[in-house]
Amino acid sequence: MVEIMAAGAMAGPADPWAGKETLAAQVLGILREVLDEPRLCEESKDNLRRLLVLHKDHPEQALYEHLSCIRSGRAG
């Protein structure tokens, strides 16, 4: 009986994250909103777009670098 219950507990999707939104997808959503924001200067938007291309598989890295640039005053 215990073996049957344990087998039932193991059933389910092989990937527990299947169908769930990833951090990368959430960051991309945030960055889309940032790029649509009219208050952000075009220089900053261009820098952010460049970083997104540079880190196409890791948008969280692009966001981190963008925020670092803004904080240090290097990008608009």
Side-chain angles (χ1 to χ4, degrees):
M1 181 71 167
V2 173
E3 293 84 10
I4 294 170
M5 290 173 59
M10 301 281 291
D15 181 5
W17 298 105
K20 297 189 179 181
E21 195 168 335
T22 64
L23 175 63
Q26 291 175 357
V27 169
L28 281 174
I30 291 168
L31 294 178
R32 282 188 202 106
E33 289 182 26
V34 168
L35 289 171
D36 288 341
E37 177 61 45
R39 292 179 288 180
L40 186 63
C41 73
E42 287 303 315
E43 182 182 356
S44 288
K45 288 181 181 183
D46 289 343
N47 183 56
L48 182 51
R49 288 183 192 106
R50 181 186 59 77
L51 290 169
L52 283 169
V53 169
L54 186 64
H55 301 290
K56 66 180 177 149
D57 294 327
H58 299 282
E60 63 280 6
Q61 182 65 31
L63 176 60
Y64 172 77
E65 288 185 25
H66 174 71
L67 294 174
S68 294
C69 288
I70 288 174
R71 186 171 186 197
S72 70
R74 291 181 296 188

